[in-house]
Amino acid sequence: MPGIDASTLITSNEDPSTLFQLLDQIGEGSYGAVYKAISKQTGTVVAIKVIAIDGDWDEVNKEIQMLKELEACDQVIRYHGSWFLEPDLWIVMELCQDSMSGMVEALGHGLDEQQISFVMRETLLGLQFLHSNRKIHRDIKSGNILFKDDGSVKLADFGVSAQLANTISKRKTMIGSPFWMAPEVVQGLEYGTVADVWSVGITAIELADTLPPRSDVHPMRLIFQIPVLPSPTLAQPEDWSDEFNDFIAKCLDKDPQARPSCAMLLQHPFIKAAPSKDVMVDAVEELIAIKATAPDNEFDDGTGFFTTTDAGSTMASGTMMAAATMPFDAGTVVPGFDDADGFGTVMIPSGAAPANNAEDSKPAFLRHMEREETKDKGKADVDVLMQKLDDIRSNIAMLQKEEQSVLREISANQ
Ligand SMILES: Nc1ncnc2c1ncn2[C@@H]1O[C@H](COP(=O)(O)OP(=O)(O)OP(=O)(O)O)[C@@H](O)[C@H]1O
């Protein structure tokens, strides 16, 4: 577990199944499932992310550290603690109703301007808090903005967030979801907190139009297009107010130096006019009613959450498609290696390995992580190199296609 202080990950050595009872599964991410659960001690209903620990601790560790450090912010999902039940880690959080992308998919249409301005204000408040703590979210999109039954909005999914060290104010790693990525990020240039502001602008379009702009373009192609094409706009700008169009244009300034900070955008007229969370109540109630009546195989997979397999939708007909049903996988990509997270040296909790009988008295999660680490050591290097090779090959293939299309354009224009 190089560079990770295990003592800061685990809340206590108790078996989490004695503390919480898992109820329905409410979601699934690339690292594991999310369940609704109830605290056996207090009766509080919570969400628990159950992640199988397979040696890849970096994102899990990052998410937990971020959640702990951001506890003081109302717009960030509240973290209750983490427990280990071999081979899983249980991350216990505040329960939300769904994500904003889940809402848009369920409703079958985008949000109205009032609702969008409220969601944007809350998102900006959450990001302002992150940024003032020198953190970048790096994966802002409607799928990572959750809401509660009372309409309040919570930022989630800090697995790819970055901490800016005092001396390092910029990052270079290309991380995020291509459709929401800022030009400086896809170009592999240095970037800072305003990279999140670009993603806020794309998310605003997504909430209005139900999809991020250029969602029919292959993500690899999009990576080439984002820096060269003009900034995206709403599909029908004339259907929306000048203030909303201007807010999006400000977020989507291709020049990061000219792009405003979250604090500046909180003063924008579109955001200043944002109503209270009550503006979401009707939409939340509508969503709950739709979920309750949806046939099992249509939206709801029986987990109470909307599935990602709505195969009937098409882009060409203008039919609403959820982000997850886009022609290409809109998931988060982590193509590079994160470069400077500063997790330093391994620290074993003082009570974990006393001098006598050290193995027996180590907590189960430590023994498990050590076993996984030894198991994976040999194969890790080869996996990393194979991944690199894949990345290089797909980049070459994409460049060759680009070259062909440019050559075709040249010959057509001659
Ligand atoms: N605290 C929560 N309350 C309610 N639902 C949640 C909560 N946390 C996550 N979810 C839902 O569970 C699902 C999986 O979340 P998770 O964060 O594991 O993955 P993801 O963000 O969808 O994907 P990835 O891990 O690939 O980025 C999402 O649909 C999310 O909306």
Side-chain angles (χ1 to χ4, degrees), residues 39-73:
S39 159
K40 290 182 178 174
Q41 285 160 340
T42 63
T44 312
V45 183
V46 293
I48 303 187
K49 203 186 256 196
V50 178
I51 300 175
I53 296 306
D54 56 5
D56 181 8
W57 273 91
D58 204 32
E59 287 203 13
V60 177
N61 179 60
K62 209 180 279 182
E63 176 148 21
I64 292 175
Q65 300 305 340
M66 288 279 172
L67 286 170
K68 278 165 113 173
E69 288 167 32
L70 298 170
E71 258 175 348
C73 180

Side-chain angles (χ1 to χ4, degrees), residues 260-279:
S261 66
C262 290
M264 288 156 88
L265 285 168
L266 282 162
Q267 301 307 316
H268 190 280
F270 178 67
I271 299 299
K272 289 288 264 183
S276 76
K277 65 183 180 201
D278 293 348
V279 74

Side-chain angles (χ1 to χ4, degrees), residues 76-225:
V76 170
I77 195 94
R78 188 78 68 237
Y79 167 75
H80 296 310
S82 302
W83 286 267
F84 184 72
L85 180 61
E86 190 165 6
D88 298 321
L89 185 71
W90 289 27
I91 304 176
V92 182
M93 303 167 281
E94 169 180 24
L95 178 72
C96 288
Q97 173 58 235
D98 206 330
S99 66
M100 294 310 310
S101 65
M103 172 181 278
V104 166
E105 180 180 1
L107 298 180
H109 57 75
L111 303 186
D112 67 30
E113 242 186 75
Q114 294 257 299
Q115 292 166 332
I116 296 172
S117 72
F118 166 73
V119 175
M120 290 293 103
R121 185 189 61 205
E122 298 303 293
T123 303
L124 288 168
L125 284 168
L127 284 177
Q128 187 188 30
F129 187 81
L130 246 83
H131 295 170
S132 63
N133 284 283
R134 305 188 60 76
K135 299 179 199 306
I136 321 180
H137 187 286
R138 298 203 288 190
D139 202 16
I140 288 294
K141 54 183 178 179
S142 71
N144 288 336
I145 302 173
L146 307 185
F147 62 91
K148 299 191 70 169
D149 287 355
D150 65 358
S152 54
V153 164
K154 310 276 168 178
L155 300 185
D157 213 351
F158 295 87
V160 298
S161 307
Q163 174 71 58
L164 299 170
N166 283 335
T167 47
I168 306 167
S169 63
K170 305 271 170 148
R171 309 287 303 200
K172 280 181 102 168
T173 321
M174 184 167 44
I175 283 186
S177 307
F179 296 93
W180 292 262
M181 272 188 197
E184 65 272 20
V185 178
V186 299
Q187 284 175 291
L189 303 173
E190 285 193 332
Y191 60 85
T193 51
V194 289
D196 282 340
V197 169
W198 176 279
S199 308
V200 167
I202 300 289
T203 305
I205 297 180
E206 189 193 1
L207 292 177
D209 291 343
T210 74
L211 284 172
R214 302 176 188 143
S215 53
D216 54 342
V217 177
H218 191 285
M220 278 302 289
R221 195 174 183 83
L222 193 71
I223 283 172
F224 287 94
Q225 290 184 349

Side-chain angles (χ1 to χ4, degrees), residues 331-370:
T332 305
V333 292
V334 188
F337 300 98
D338 216 342
D339 45 358
D341 286 300
F343 281 121
T345 49
V346 186
M347 284 172 63
I348 305 296
S350 54
N356 56 344
N357 206 7
E359 269 311 302
D360 285 354
S361 47
K362 266 183 201 171
F365 74 89
L366 263 185
R367 287 201 304 271
H368 175 80
M369 288 189 292
E370 284 173 6

